């Protein structure tokens, strides 16, 4: 049988971990501000539409 050793992602060729971290931080910021925006819209709808 073939030997299936684990891939070392930190040493793989073409691995751009810095770009990965920046993308993930951007995703977290977008999620946070998106959630806060939806909450603000719902609160304003509850105030002005009742």
């Amino acid at each position: 049988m073939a030997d299936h050793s684990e891939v070392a992602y930190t040493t793989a060729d073409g691995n751009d971990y810095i770009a990965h971290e920046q993308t993930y931080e951007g995703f977290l910021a977008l999620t946070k501000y998106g959630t806060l925006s939806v909450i603000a819209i719902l609160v304003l709808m509850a105030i002005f539409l009742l």
Side-chain angles (χ1 to χ4, degrees):
M1 289 195 172
D3 181 24
H4 297 288
S5 61
E6 292 185 27
V7 177
Y9 290 105
T10 57
T11 59
D13 290 337
N15 192 7
D16 195 358
Y17 194 73
I18 294 171
H20 165 74
E21 285 183 335
Q22 291 173 345
T23 302
Y24 184 66
E25 288 173 3
F27 168 75
L28 289 179
L30 182 64
T31 302
K32 178 174 62 174
Y33 293 122
T35 301
L36 291 175
S37 298
V38 169
I39 290 171
I41 290 169
L42 290 175
V43 167
L44 291 171
M45 287 174 64
I47 292 171
F48 292 111
L49 296 179
L50 286 179

